[in-house]
Amino acid sequence: MSPESDAPVIPLPMPIPDRESIDPTLDLEAEINRLRKEQNAIILAHYYQDSEIQDLADYVGDSLGLSQQAKQTDADVIAFCGVHFMAETAKILNPEKKVIMPDTDAGCSLADRCPPDVFAEWLKQYPDHKVVSYINTSAAVKALSDIICTSSNAVRVVESLGPDAKVVFAPDRHLGRWVEKKLGREMVKWPGFCVVHEQYTARRLLKMKAEYPDARLVAHPECEQAVLDIADFIGSTTQLINHVVNTTEYDTFIVATEMGVMHQMRKKRPGVKLLGAPPDSGCECAVCPYMRLNTMEKLYLCLRDLEPEVTVPDDIRERALAPVERMLALG
Ligand code: 13P
Ligand code: SF4
């Protein structure tokens, strides 16, 4: 009997295929730089990517900034280091370009838990409502919407519909509630949530604030209301980074969003003290399990092979374009 067949049967994690197929002595950074030139590709990365990927990217930003960059690029290929809905948005805006991403399994709990067929059925109850969808949705859900928003412009987008419009807001209930509070109006909300931001609790954060009384708590609006109620500043990832960089009267910040943003905060304000808000899972910091599926190895492979490619069926793409364009026109 071979030692292998003697081995106990226990569920082990799968080997990482991209590592096995790559020469370990390869200078990945140099190869990625060579391939990006050869393929006339632009690398767009969200702040929740690994710092190595952020440092290599042509542009690093939040979901609004990334869509704006995707709209204006003249590259032939967009290598999108983010999650699937972001790459889909780039494709909606650039049907003639090739959009690739390191790992197309990089989904999002908000987008994945708002299936377009169920959403379409649910919307039938609200025929006289305007539909505002967060960019964290599939292209098919965007196609069912009147206008798209991101965390940096959600308030402005809802306001643009006029004070009397009846509004359905999907899929993030926390962002929706925050917009309601800001505008003093009610909306019908889809009950979605982000698996990363929902893990923060006001209870743990209050303890942390007591421990660090001189720290300022900054939070993403995907956090639940009780957390937002005790935050000193609320904003999208870009807005949180700018706030930490510009609020020089404070040296210490508790950061209630995915820890990838801290890389830019430290780069732009060396010496700043950043404390990751602890999720209620026992871990010390929060990472998005979807975003982190993208790796340098997979980025190299996708630029080399120009796949996996992100595609959107034409009929969906055509219907999704207008609501995305409406948002971009508002800025
Ligand atoms: P931003 O709009 O701040 O980029 O947020 C996107 C996101 O997925 C947050 O979890
Ligand atoms: Fe989606 Fe949350 Fe990950 Fe953002 S952090 S991509 S909302 S799962």
Side-chain angles (χ1 to χ4, degrees):
M1 192 178 272
S2 75
E4 270 149 37
S5 61
D6 275 346
V9 183
I10 45 170
L12 290 169
M14 295 297 286
I16 299 171
D18 45 302
R19 296 238 177 99
E20 296 208 330
S21 65
I22 295 176
D23 172 358
T25 63
L26 207 62
D27 179 345
L28 281 180
E29 199 180 318
E31 283 300 301
I32 289 169
N33 283 332
R34 178 180 66 78
L35 288 165
R36 120 167 79 194
K37 264 194 212 127
E38 253 174 52
Q39 312 278 24
N40 188 24
I42 185 172
I43 301 174
L44 302 181
H46 190 267
Y47 294 121
Y48 294 168
Q49 294 295 283
D50 192 78
S51 51
E52 260 187 307
I53 294 182
Q54 291 192 37
D55 288 345
L56 259 180
D58 295 286
Y59 176 82
V60 190
D62 67 359
S63 40
L64 178 63
L66 288 164
S67 330
Q68 289 165 335
Q69 288 294 318
K71 186 174 162 65
Q72 69 195 44
T73 183
D74 53 11
D76 296 321
V77 175
I78 299 176
F80 212 111
C81 300
V83 287
H84 195 261
F85 73 80
M86 296 179 176
E88 264 190 343
T89 307
K91 185 67 184 178
I92 291 167
L93 291 163
N94 292 285
E96 74 297 346
K97 292 191 200 301
K98 202 179 251 291
V99 178
I100 50 175
M101 61 186 291
D103 192 327
T104 42
D105 283 340
C108 165
S109 63
L110 281 165
D112 297 352
R113 291 185 195 174
C114 186
D117 49 340
V118 183
F119 188 61
E121 255 328 284
W122 182 75
L123 281 181
K124 286 185 184 158
Q125 303 169 88
Y126 310 107
D128 55 348
H129 284 54
K130 293 281 180 201
V131 181
V132 179
S133 290
Y134 193 23
I135 198 162
N136 297 39
T137 45
S138 64
V141 165
K142 289 185 175 76
L144 295 164
S145 311
D146 293 296
I147 187 162
I148 305 306
C149 72
T150 74
S151 56
S152 60
N153 62 15
V155 171
R156 197 159 63 241
V157 165
V158 173
E159 249 180 334
S160 76
L161 301 173
D164 301 325
K166 294 181 183 171
V167 179
V168 162
F169 189 93
D172 187 16
R173 59 182 173 191
H174 300 306
L175 178 65
R177 203 175 296 123
W178 180 66
V179 171
E180 285 179 328
K181 216 176 159 193
K182 284 264 197 200
L183 293 178
R185 66 196 276 180
E186 282 189 14
M187 303 185 291
V188 176
K189 299 182 294 302
W190 178 270
F193 61 91
C194 159
V195 284
V196 179
H197 292 88
E198 232 194 38
Q199 289 187 51
Y200 302 124
T201 62
R203 185 181 57 79
R204 285 197 75 177
L205 286 167
L206 280 170
K207 266 194 191 169
M208 205 163 172
K209 279 184 110 178
E211 205 179 325
Y212 300 94
D214 296 332
R216 204 165 154 79
L217 171 62
V218 299
H220 195 279
E222 287 173 12
C223 296
E224 61 179 29
Q225 189 61 52
V227 169
L228 297 181
D229 284 344
I230 58 165
D232 299 300
F233 180 79
I234 298 162
S236 75
T237 46
T238 298
Q239 290 163 346
L240 296 182
I241 292 167
N242 290 342
H243 182 78
V244 165
V245 172
N246 298 327
T247 312
T248 47
E249 57 274 31
Y250 286 86
D251 291 332
T252 309
F253 296 83
I254 301 169
V255 181
T257 193
E258 217 268 9
M259 62 176 293
V261 297
M262 294 190 199
H263 181 57
Q264 295 297 326
M265 290 170 177
R266 291 199 176 101
K267 258 178 112 166
K268 293 181 175 169
R269 190 175 162 195
V272 67
K273 189 163 178 211
L274 302 175
L275 307 164
D280 223 22
S281 60
C283 294
E284 283 313 304
C285 57
V287 289
C288 172
Y290 304 100
M291 288 273 184
R292 303 296 174 138
L293 284 176
N294 296 323
T295 60
M296 286 283 281
E297 286 86 353
K298 291 179 198 167
L299 174 58
Y300 159 72
L301 288 176
C302 89
L303 279 167
R304 187 191 70 184
D305 304 337
L306 292 184
E307 60 174 29
E309 190 175 352
V310 176
T311 56
V312 180
D314 280 345
D315 59 324
I316 293 179
R317 193 194 64 74
E318 279 155 21
R319 282 184 289 129
L321 181 61
V324 173
E325 294 273 23
R326 265 178 221 127
M327 170 190 79
L328 291 175
L330 279 179

